[in-house]
Amino acid sequence: MSKIIILGINADIGFNISLKYLDDGFEVLGTFRSENKNTEILRSKKNISLVRCDVLSKKDIKNLFEEVKIKKFEWTNIFSSIGSSKPIGNFFDLDFSTWEKSISINFTSQLSIIHGLYKLRDKNSLACVNLMAGGGTNSAMSNYSAYCVSKIGLIKMCELLDAECEDLKIQIIGPGFVRTKTHEETLKAKQMAGSNYERVKEFMESGEQGTSFEDIYRCLKWIDSSEKKVTSGRNFSVVHDSWGKEALEVELKKNLDMYKLRRKGNAVII
C-alpha cells in the first residue's frame, strides 16, 4: 500500500484530495492545525492517521517526525495544502512581524517539514512531493506580497531540489480559482485587497465551481505516474497546461527551461 503525507488535511483542498487518495488505496497521514468538520469526517475513515501540527511550532513539527517514525510511515508521496493569503494590504501599511510570519507559513515552515520527512521516506522508490503555487507568480499581484513571494520561493526550491536529489521528484501546481474557504480572507480584507476584492466577491457570489477537486487530483496522479525528467522542478497550471498529453511530455523533455522561473528578454539588445 502506497503511503502519502498530506500537510494541511483539514483545509478544503487537502481534505478533498485525501479522500481521493484513500479511494485509490493509499494509506494517508494528514496534519492539521485545528479540528473542523473535515477532520471529523476523516476520523471515520480507514487507513488514515491524523497528527496535530501547527507549522509555526517547532515542537509540533518535531512531534510530527516522531509520529512518522513510530508509525513506520515510510511515505512515497507528500502533498502540501498549507497556505494563507494573509496579511493582505500594501507592504508598507502592514505590520512587518505579521508579514514575516506569513513567509514562514507559506514557505520556510513547509520546507522545514519536507527537510525532516525526507529521511523518513520509502528509500526503495522515487519519492514524489507536490506543492501548491498561487496567484501572482507571473505578475505583480498587489497587496499579497508575502503570499506571492513565498510561492515564488517554493517554485525555485522545486528546481533546486530536483537538481540536488536524484531520488526525489518535486514539483508545484497552480490550481487556479478553487471554491474554498481561503477566499474569506480576501472578503474580510475588503479594500485592503485592492481590485482582487471585487474579483473574488464576484466569483463567490456567482456560484461558479471554479477548478474542480477532481481536476486537481487528476493532475496530481499524472505527475505521480510521470518520469522525473518530465515533471520534476517545474510549475504546472491545472487550468491552462495540457498535462496528461504525450505532446506536452515530449516538449518538456526537450526544453529544460519550460515551466520554470526565468528572466525574459535576454535576446533584446538595445
Side-chain angles (χ1 to χ4, degrees):
M1 183 179 288
S2 296
K3 298 180 179 182
I4 182 170
I5 295 176
I6 297 182
L7 307 177
I9 202 168
N10 58 328
D12 290 334
I13 293 180
F15 168 71
N16 284 279
I17 294 303
S18 71
L19 295 179
K20 296 185 181 299
Y21 272 109
L22 285 170
D23 287 343
D24 268 354
F26 275 71
E27 185 175 351
V28 176
L29 187 149
T31 71
F32 67 97
R33 188 182 65 173
S34 57
E35 298 275 2
N36 60 12
K37 289 183 179 179
N38 291 341
T39 53
E40 183 179 339
I41 293 171
L42 290 170
R43 290 190 186 282
S44 68
K45 304 291 182 180
K46 294 181 180 179
N47 299 321
I48 187 166
S49 301
L50 298 179
V51 179
R52 186 186 298 275
C53 183
D54 183 339
V55 298
L56 295 177
S57 168
K58 291 183 179 180
K59 181 180 178 181
D60 280 8
I61 292 176
K62 183 178 179 181
N63 178 65
L64 170 62
F65 299 154
E66 290 302 316
E67 286 291 323
V68 172
K69 289 178 186 177
I70 291 170
K71 296 178 185 298
K72 296 181 179 179
F73 200 90
E74 297 179 341
W75 58 273
T76 55
N77 297 65
I78 290 177
F79 173 61
S80 180
S81 180
I82 295 172
S84 173
S85 58
K86 298 189 296 185
I88 299 170
N90 183 287
F91 175 75
F92 292 108
D93 293 334
L94 299 172
D95 173 70
F96 187 78
S97 63
T98 304
W99 189 92
E100 194 172 27
K101 178 180 175 182
S102 179
I103 299 294
S104 181
I105 293 171
N106 289 300
F107 182 40
T108 54
S109 289
Q110 291 185 56
L111 292 179
S112 171
I113 293 173
I114 292 168
H115 183 275
L117 290 176
Y118 175 72
K119 63 177 71 72
L120 304 176
R121 70 197 184 284
D122 178 357
K123 298 179 179 63
N124 295 315
S125 64
L126 178 65
C128 183
V129 174
N130 290 313
L131 307 175
M132 280 208 303
T137 55
N138 296 312
S139 61
M141 186 177 177
S142 301
N143 306 308
Y144 294 79
S145 57
Y147 176 77
C148 291
V149 77
S150 296
K151 295 301 185 181
I152 291 170
L154 288 178
I155 290 170
K156 194 63 184 181
M157 281 303 299
C158 285
E159 183 178 359
L160 293 170
L161 294 178
D162 169 59
E164 293 179 1
C165 307
E166 293 183 0
D167 56 0
L168 177 66
K169 183 168 68 171
I170 180 168
Q171 43 283 309
I172 189 164
I173 66 168
F177 243 34
V178 187
R179 184 166 288 277
T180 69
K181 290 186 288 293
T182 300
H183 292 303
E184 294 175 5
E185 296 175 346
T186 292
L187 296 179
K188 289 178 181 177
K190 295 186 177 180
Q191 69 272 13
M192 295 287 286
S195 60
N196 197 48
Y197 170 73
E198 289 297 333
R199 176 170 172 256
V200 170
K201 184 173 180 286
E202 182 179 345
F203 170 72
M204 296 301 285
E205 291 178 349
S206 70
E208 292 179 18
Q209 168 68 41
T211 308
S212 68
F213 297 116
E214 180 62 34
D215 278 350
I216 295 171
Y217 186 65
R218 289 195 302 111
C219 182
L220 290 172
K221 290 300 289 181
W222 169 71
I223 289 170
D224 291 350
S225 63
S226 296
E227 297 176 64
K228 174 179 167 72
K229 59 185 175 182
V230 170
T231 65
S232 194
R234 305 184 195 264
N235 173 22
F236 291 94
S237 168
V238 174
V239 178
H240 300 293
D241 294 340
S242 300
W243 46 267
K245 294 186 178 180
E246 185 178 354
L248 176 63
E249 296 184 18
V250 170
E251 188 62 32
L252 290 169
K253 288 179 181 179
K254 290 192 301 183
N255 188 347
L256 299 182
D257 290 330
M258 195 170 174
Y259 297 168
K260 296 177 181 178
L261 288 176
R262 295 291 183 267
R263 198 177 79 133
K264 190 174 182 180
N266 290 349
V268 178
I269 300 175
I270 305 291

